[in-house]
């Protein structure tokens, strides 16, 4: 299995409203789940994982994914049964089968049951990403963020390619972690993000730390972004943080 590429070769896809694509990965192999989740996170997408069919259906109900990477051979249900449950709730969801079964009849069964595409193990991570991108584009569920585009909320601007940030035209110097935290906030303006979500996306999905590190880095950002300006980073008590244009 390939490792994640050193640099993302294509511009990131987002939902039509600009929020990250959501993908649910379902497989009973922990190492495979870890690798796939890491690669999809690297792509800038939100990811949830499940190790069996029952957990997959629960996660799909709560997470409302745009696409599902689904193994056919699961410890409780077979993937075709899970697919039917997914389609009942979200008829337009994109489903990519990922399985060790490579016989022609298995491919036909999966696609006939309503799967959108089929990748067999062992596989290339680049192929999985390419197939998912293709499915999402064909479904008309995403738009492409142009390479080098600016992320802008109010007078706060981030150039992702140049890794430069300005507020009201003044350069803001950020550490790498502060930059990634601000990027996540800018990609989700006016959306309340929980500490768990921020940990998941900025410090990686398997980060073992506690929520206090989020509070610490939010305070760092506030000192650099908000001091001397109308505040943009707001605490929503009991829920998390939200970035929105400052009002005088």
């Amino acid at each position: 299995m390939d490792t994640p590429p050193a640099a993302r070769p294509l511009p990131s896809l987002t939902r039509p409203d600009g929020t990250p694509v959501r993908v649910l990965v379902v497989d009973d192999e922990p190492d495979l789940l870890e690798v796939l989740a890491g690669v999809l996170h690297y792509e800038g997408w939100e990811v949830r994982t499940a190790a069996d069919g029952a957990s997959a259906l629960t996660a799909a109900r709560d997470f409302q994914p745009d696409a599902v990477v689904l193994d056919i051979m699961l410890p409780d249900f077979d993937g075709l049964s899970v697919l039917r449950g997914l389609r009942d709730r979200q008829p337009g969801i994109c489903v990519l089968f990922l399985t060790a079964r490579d016989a022609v009849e298995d491919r036909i069964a999966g696609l006939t049951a309503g799967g959108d595409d089929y990748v067999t193990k062992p596989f290339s991570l680049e192929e999985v990403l390419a197939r998912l991108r293709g499915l999402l584009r064909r479904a008309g569920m995403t738009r492409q963020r142009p390479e080098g585009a600016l992320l802008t909320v109010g007078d706060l601007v981030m150039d992702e390619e140049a890794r430069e940030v300005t507020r009201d035209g003044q350069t803001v110097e950020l550490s790498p972690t502060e930059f990634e935290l601000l990027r996540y906030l800018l990609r989700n303006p006016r959306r309340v993000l929980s500490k768990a979500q921020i940990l998941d996306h900025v410090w990686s999905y398997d980060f073992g730390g506690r929520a206090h590190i989020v509070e610490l880095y939010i305070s760092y950002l506030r000192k650099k972004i908000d001091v001397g300006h109308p505040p943009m980073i707001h605490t929503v008590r009991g829920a998390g943080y939200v970035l929105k244009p400052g009002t005088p």
Side-chain angles (χ1 to χ4, degrees):
M1 210 181 309
D2 296 344
T3 56
R8 188 181 304 154
L10 295 171
S12 179
L13 292 181
T14 70
R15 286 174 154 185
D17 63 2
T19 58
V21 169
R22 295 183 179 184
V23 182
L24 172 64
V25 183
V26 186
D27 199 288
D28 61 347
E29 298 180 39
D31 291 343
L32 179 58
L33 279 183
E34 181 179 356
V35 170
L36 280 172
V39 169
L40 298 178
H41 272 294
Y42 182 85
E43 187 71 9
W45 297 348
E46 289 192 29
V47 184
R48 293 292 181 274
T49 62
D52 56 55
S55 300
L57 293 174
T58 299
R61 180 194 64 207
D62 298 337
F63 184 48
Q64 294 291 299
D66 304 301
V68 179
V69 179
L70 178 62
D71 189 7
I72 284 184
M73 301 177 68
L74 295 170
D76 50 359
F77 308 138
D78 66 81
L80 301 182
S81 299
V82 176
L83 173 62
R84 285 190 286 271
L86 292 170
R87 291 279 193 231
D88 286 343
R89 293 173 179 170
Q90 290 179 255
I93 196 170
C94 299
V95 177
L96 173 67
F97 279 125
L98 184 67
T99 178
R101 294 180 175 179
D102 59 358
V104 172
E105 56 267 28
D106 290 323
R107 293 172 183 258
I108 293 173
L111 298 176
T112 301
D116 298 294
D117 207 344
Y118 200 116
V119 177
T120 58
K121 305 174 185 177
F123 56 84
S124 159
L125 294 176
E126 284 84 356
E127 181 183 11
V128 172
L129 279 174
R131 298 287 185 94
L132 283 173
R133 281 173 167 272
L135 291 179
L136 291 163
R137 284 196 187 100
R138 289 196 294 274
M141 298 173 61
T142 61
R143 66 180 175 86
Q144 186 164 293
R145 181 183 292 120
E147 197 167 353
L150 302 179
L151 297 176
T152 304
V153 175
D155 60 357
L156 180 62
V157 180
M158 171 181 285
D159 185 328
E160 294 184 275
E161 295 300 311
R163 295 188 70 85
E164 294 176 349
V165 176
T166 61
R167 173 131 198 219
D168 194 23
Q170 301 298 310
T171 299
V172 180
E173 299 292 341
L174 300 178
S175 71
T177 301
E178 291 166 350
F179 185 91
E180 292 305 321
L181 173 56
L182 182 60
R183 174 167 24 202
Y184 184 50
L185 295 173
L186 281 167
R187 285 182 172 178
N188 295 275
R190 300 178 180 84
R191 177 184 173 195
V192 178
L193 301 171
S194 69
K195 293 177 183 177
Q197 287 175 304
I198 294 172
L199 279 171
D200 191 44
H201 286 80
V202 179
W203 281 269
S204 88
Y205 66 97
D206 59 353
F207 181 75
R210 293 179 295 176
H212 76 275
I213 195 169
V214 176
E215 299 170 6
L216 181 64
Y217 272 86
I218 287 288
S219 72
Y220 291 162
L221 270 188
R222 280 177 167 150
K223 290 176 183 177
K224 296 184 176 183
I225 299 297
D226 284 347
V227 170
H229 301 279
M232 296 185 71
I233 303 173
H234 302 270
T235 300
V236 179
R237 189 173 300 277
Y241 301 96
V242 60
L243 178 76
K244 55 187 178 180
T247 53

